[in-house]
Amino acid sequence: MRILDRLLALLEGVVIAVDAIRANKVRAGLTILGIAVGVFVVTIMSAAVHGINSGVSKAIAAAGPTTFFVTKWPGELVSCNGSADSCPWRRFPPLTIDQARGIEGLSSVKLVVSQIGSSTPVKYADRDLPSVGLNAYTPGWLEVEGGALVDGRDFTAAENDAAAPVVLINGKLRERLFGDGGAIGKEIRLGGQQFTVIGVFEPIATAFDSGEKGRLYMPFETAKRRLDVGVNWMQMTVKPRDGVTRDVAMDEVLGLLRTERRLRPGDANNFHISTPEKILEMYNKVVGAFFLVMIVLSAVGLIVGGVGVVAIMMISVTERTREIGVRKALGATKAIILWQFLVEAATLTGIGAVIGLVLGTGIAAVMRNMTPIEAAVPPTAVVAALVASAFTGIAFGMLPAIRAARLDPVDALRYE
């Protein structure tokens, strides 16, 4: 019976709250707006972060669970203001192709893919693109690079050794250069030199590289020798052999590079070895800081809504003083009155939360369809938004509710 009474009181509080909203449309509207804005920001940020995390995780995982990376720069967040002390890695000697070949010769290593990046002007017929991103790889890159070859073929080891003028493009660049026509076999000019398009490669789109501006993929030696792309920032992706643990392969690579780079036993490494987990950890720190800022901004909206809850509930208590007196005279306890007003406050903020969730989910759907971000509102975000709004209503509605519960029934009945 007690549970039924609670449910009836809950329903009654919701009905009274809806009536109060109708009677005080402006005040209630401002309160609901504040809550809705706060929940909307949380919903959108959660959806965006969820989508970005999904894309980044897929891109990193595409290389394989045991794969690791060798770079000149650290694979973690470091404070760097440009000085030699804060950025010692800037003075490190670059990784070299000979070192990559040495790593590939290790018994624990199956594949090493070296990569450099740059940009170049692209021209085809009357279409002239001043700067298009360029990635250059050694053979085997499709095994560690997330994406798919959707048309044509990959370059061969012989083409890489000969620095052949061949190139792959992504779908966006094909559209910009050739429209609806085919790309395979077409001749384009990169930096004033003629190249043949041999394939169309679609990478995994992420928020950091959607590929919307177009991208080129070519042999490492072609980029180095024909387009004079610098190798100072070359990086390697290392894939261990089947049955070999990543730690074993990393230890062997570490030993070989220290020997190749003539480091004494007491010298620090002048290169960095990173795992996908470490890169994800660094990424999560960046996104986490950004998300924290958005949480603070959304909290402002909740506080604005909470202040509105106090105002509208205080007015409600004043307007319903005689009603409270009657209820108390008929046997309503302080707890019942307190419960009723807290339910009203939570209902008010709950309506704002639902509006914010609906708008946020709609914008997330638009983001998912119009951008490379696979935005989706996680269930935890929905629960968190509803709980936060209810807590805001209860916390800010507590003072008016306590005031109502403490009214003397005699004085309340005399109130005009």
Side-chain angles (χ1 to χ4, degrees):
M1 192 66 180
R2 183 179 295 274
I3 296 177
L4 180 59
D5 291 341
R6 287 292 184 184
L7 290 176
L8 289 175
L10 177 62
L11 179 61
E12 181 183 12
V14 172
V15 172
I16 293 174
V18 173
D19 290 339
I21 291 172
R22 290 174 179 171
N24 303 279
K25 293 182 177 64
V26 176
R27 289 193 297 266
L30 291 175
T31 300
I32 291 172
L33 178 62
I35 299 296
V37 169
V39 172
F40 173 78
V41 172
V42 172
T43 304
I44 285 295
M45 285 306 304
S46 297
V49 170
H50 183 271
I52 294 171
N53 281 342
S54 177
V56 171
S57 297
K58 286 180 181 178
I60 293 177
T66 61
T67 299
F68 57 94
F69 311 98
V70 183
T71 58
K72 173 181 173 179
W73 59 91
E76 56 189 14
L77 286 176
V78 293
S79 175
C80 178
N81 59 17
S83 66
D85 292 334
S86 65
C87 314
W89 47 270
R90 296 181 65 178
R91 304 193 310 273
F92 289 173
L95 299 169
T96 67
I97 285 294
D98 287 339
Q99 290 168 4
R101 292 194 184 104
I103 293 173
E104 197 160 21
L106 294 172
S107 60
S108 61
V109 173
K110 175 184 177 181
L111 175 68
V112 177
V113 175
S114 300
Q115 175 188 353
I116 51 177
S118 185
S119 61
T120 182
V122 179
K123 183 175 178 61
Y124 174 76
D126 61 342
R127 294 171 182 145
D128 197 351
L129 306 179
S131 180
V132 175
L134 161 67
N135 288 351
Y137 302 89
T138 51
W141 66 289
L142 289 178
E143 287 193 42
V144 297
E145 186 70 18
L149 185 64
V150 297
D151 195 13
R153 65 176 180 86
D154 186 17
F155 57 82
T156 65
E159 287 172 328
N160 177 68
D161 294 340
V166 294
V167 65
L168 292 86
I169 61 177
N170 71 347
K172 188 62 180 181
L173 186 56
R174 174 175 61 182
E175 177 185 327
R176 296 180 70 184
L177 292 178
F178 311 118
D180 296 332
I184 308 304
K186 296 288 181 62
E187 303 289 338
I188 62 176
R189 298 190 71 80
L190 308 179
Q193 300 184 53
Q194 188 165 288
F195 282 72
T196 301
V197 178
I198 62 171
V200 177
F201 175 75
E202 282 297 348
I204 295 175
T206 69
F208 305 103
D209 184 10
S210 65
E212 285 300 302
K213 295 183 179 180
R215 188 160 288 276
L216 300 157
Y217 308 87
M218 67 173 56
F220 185 98
E221 292 297 331
T222 300
K224 175 185 172 184
R225 286 148 56 180
R226 288 184 177 272
L227 298 180
D228 199 28
V229 175
V231 298
N232 191 48
W233 297 100
M234 186 187 97
Q235 61 182 5
M236 305 178 200
T237 302
V238 183
K239 192 168 188 175
R241 290 188 182 278
D242 296 338
V244 177
T245 65
R246 183 169 62 191
D247 289 341
V248 170
M250 287 173 62
D251 286 343
E252 289 197 12
V253 170
L254 180 67
L256 183 141
L257 285 178
R258 288 186 61 86
T259 301
E260 290 285 328
R261 295 163 83 87
R262 304 178 184 279
L263 295 175
R264 298 189 183 93
D267 293 341
N269 294 333
N270 56 8
F271 58 91
H272 292 273
I273 298 179
S274 305
T275 62
E277 292 81 7
K278 185 175 291 187
I279 293 175
L280 277 175
E281 180 183 345
M282 176 186 67
Y283 156 77
N284 286 331
K285 288 180 181 178
V286 175
V287 174
F290 180 64
F291 189 60
L292 181 61
V293 173
M294 292 299 101
I295 290 293
V296 171
L297 293 178
S298 67
V300 173
L302 293 177
I303 291 173
V304 170
V307 172
V309 168
V310 174
I312 195 170
M313 294 303 296
M314 281 294 191
I315 293 172
S316 180
V317 170
T318 302
E319 292 176 345
R320 293 160 56 193
T321 299
R322 284 180 62 83
E323 174 194 329
I324 295 170
V326 171
R327 288 172 64 87
K328 283 198 167 189
L330 293 175
T333 63
K334 289 184 178 181
I336 291 175
I337 300 297
L338 182 69
W339 169 260
Q340 176 188 325
F341 277 89
L342 289 180
V343 169
E344 289 184 39
T347 300
L348 195 64
T349 55
I351 292 173
V354 171
I355 293 174
L357 280 171
V358 171
L359 292 176
T361 302
I363 297 298
V366 173
M367 188 185 304
R368 184 169 58 252
N369 294 325
M370 302 294 291
T371 72
I373 301 175
E374 299 177 2
V377 181
T380 51
V382 176
V383 174
L386 294 176
V387 170
S389 65
F391 176 78
T392 301
I394 292 172
F396 285 88
M398 185 63 72
L399 179 61
I402 291 175
R403 178 183 173 186
R406 289 179 176 176
L407 283 175
D408 182 85
V410 176
D411 293 337
L413 287 170
R414 291 174 177 173
Y415 182 80
E416 295 294 339

